[in-house]
Amino acid sequence: MTRNRNRIAAWVLFAVVATLMRGTASAGEVEFVVGDLMAAEGGSWNPEDSPLKSPFGVDFNSQGDMWIVELEGGRVHTFDAAGKLRHAGGEGTKSYKGDGGKLAAATFNGMHNCAVTPNGDLYIADSWNHCVRKVDAATGVISTSAGTGQKGFSGDGGPATAATFDFVMCITLNPTNDVLHIADLNNRRIRAVDLKSGVVTTVAGNGRNGVPKDGDVAVASPLVDPRAVAQDSKGIIWILERGGHALRAVFPDGIIHTVAGTGTRGFADGPGLTSQFGSPKHLCVDDVDNVYIADDENAAIRRIDSQTREVTTILGKGQGDARIRLSHPHGVTWENGWLYVVDMGNNRILRMKP
């Protein structure tokens, strides 16, 4: 009976958050979208009672509805602006089914994140199926928009639907929403799909494992393990490497530079090239091109100033709300002035004003 009461309490939180999301918060203040403070933080939230299982990525449509994908749970959810959570697709099996039908009957394998276009089309990084799936906003029908479901490396210069990938980790839309960037992890490349033509190309990485040399051409350079990618308003493509413990930047002229991280695992704020990260996992960019990083093993959220390249910790390690104890923060998304953080290990989602 206690567990049932806890589950009911977890669901009640959605109604509470719907009210909170109509309010305001001061800088550094944290609001919970799913979940609450745990016992160690002075609350009573039990991650095992969450309606989510290993949530990993979120994004929003133009109506303010949140899409949520689960890594281990294998499900897709919507959380609408009124505070209602709905299971939309996936049933937890690690499989690859449903193309040509409705999202509700589709299955996935290790989803890492998602991206939503202004018209509401949903793209899902179906990572261990080595592809990107698309849910058409008008029809609700799901299809594979990049990849064949088989791992490999092929297809540059041709249709993305005939290309092969090897662990599609992170996908993000560019600021004009007409290019989908893909972190093609095991191919050690960043690839881009033109959503108008459907053609895929490589924009960084030559497939070899190594630290790129500052000033070299990005497509001719090695990468360690590109986990996440995002493009800012200046055309800079930001690449986050987990094993490389670093943030790289590909500038509009196609030249690559390391901007933050020493390449050695650790924890240090300060100037970008002296800062340190601990297996960072995901990133996003805000309205003025500051970069936010989900620093997984450091259980912290870091910010890189777009002007100074200074790295600061804004949540975790006693920063922001000092009560918060993150566990494998994996998703970060900027939406309408808020930074959303997916605290995967605690099966919760929170947001803050940096």
Side-chain angles (χ1 to χ4, degrees):
M1 182 64 70
T2 299
R3 180 173 292 272
N4 288 336
R5 285 198 298 268
N6 287 339
R7 290 187 185 278
I8 291 169
W11 284 90
V12 168
L13 284 170
F14 291 113
V16 174
V17 169
T19 300
L20 288 173
M21 292 176 75
R22 292 191 289 268
T24 59
S26 58
E29 183 180 345
V30 171
E31 294 182 353
F32 290 93
V33 180
V34 178
D36 204 340
L37 293 169
M38 300 179 297
E41 301 165 327
S44 58
W45 170 253
N46 183 352
E48 293 182 0
D49 293 323
S50 176
L52 304 177
K53 181 180 180 181
S54 297
F56 210 99
V58 302
D59 202 10
F60 294 79
N61 65 19
S62 58
Q63 287 75 46
D65 303 322
M66 183 196 303
W67 286 95
I68 306 167
V69 297
E70 298 175 329
L71 176 67
E72 295 178 9
R75 299 173 299 174
V76 180
H77 304 270
T78 59
F79 181 45
D80 66 29
K84 182 179 179 180
L85 182 76
R86 180 176 68 88
H87 173 208
E91 29 76 311
T93 62
K94 295 180 178 179
S95 56
Y96 179 26
K97 301 175 183 177
D99 277 6
K102 298 291 187 177
L103 171 61
T107 61
F108 306 90
N109 188 2
M111 293 176 285
H112 271 74
N113 79 317
C114 59
V116 185
T117 63
N119 74 344
D121 290 341
L122 169 69
Y123 290 88
I124 297 171
D126 196 358
S127 304
W128 300 331
N129 282 327
H130 312 291
C131 66
V132 178
R133 314 280 290 278
K134 175 188 175 182
V135 182
D136 185 274
T139 64
V141 171
I142 188 169
S143 61
T144 297
S145 63
T148 65
Q150 300 297 315
K151 68 178 181 179
F153 175 71
S154 66
D156 273 5
T161 51
T164 54
F165 301 80
D166 193 348
F167 274 39
V168 171
M169 298 299 287
C170 167
I171 57 172
T172 51
L173 292 160
N174 68 340
T176 51
N177 295 291
D178 55 2
V179 173
L180 186 75
H181 286 106
I182 300 173
D184 192 2
L185 177 64
N186 286 349
N187 285 322
R188 296 186 175 89
R189 290 175 169 93
I190 300 298
R191 301 171 78 181
V193 178
D194 185 308
L195 296 183
K196 294 179 180 178
S197 68
V199 171
V200 63
T201 56
T202 293
V203 296
N206 61 11
R208 295 195 295 270
N209 184 356
V211 176
K213 182 180 178 181
D214 284 354
D216 278 0
V217 176
V219 294
S221 298
L223 294 172
V224 178
D225 61 344
R227 292 277 174 157
V229 57
Q231 187 175 30
D232 70 15
S233 67
K234 298 181 181 67
I236 299 172
I237 298 172
W238 297 97
I239 303 170
L240 187 65
E241 296 195 323
R242 186 182 190 189
H245 307 291
L247 179 68
R248 326 276 185 202
V250 178
F251 291 88
D253 60 3
I255 300 302
I256 194 167
H257 286 267
T258 298
V259 174
T262 63
T264 300
R265 178 177 170 176
F267 177 78
D269 285 338
L273 294 177
T274 64
S275 65
Q276 289 185 309
F277 302 94
S279 301
K281 203 65 180 289
H282 196 245
L283 83 169
C284 68
V285 180
D286 70 12
D287 298 330
V288 293
D289 295 330
N290 297 315
V291 179
Y292 297 87
I293 291 176
D295 196 5
D296 184 13
E297 296 298 332
N298 281 325
I301 305 300
R302 320 286 293 280
R303 177 174 58 197
I304 295 85
D305 186 277
S306 62
Q307 301 298 317
T308 67
R309 303 291 195 249
E310 189 87 3
V311 176
T312 56
T313 300
I314 62 169
L315 185 64
K317 299 289 189 181
Q319 301 303 311
D321 187 328
R323 299 171 297 175
I324 300 296
R325 300 290 184 268
L326 300 173
S327 176
H328 299 295
H330 279 168
V332 282
T333 300
W334 185 263
E335 174 67 17
N336 197 27
W338 292 89
L339 179 68
Y340 288 78
V341 177
V342 181
D343 189 15
M344 190 193 81
N346 291 320
N347 289 325
R348 62 185 180 178
I349 300 171
L350 49 87
R351 69 178 193 168
M352 66 181 295
K353 294 277 190 180

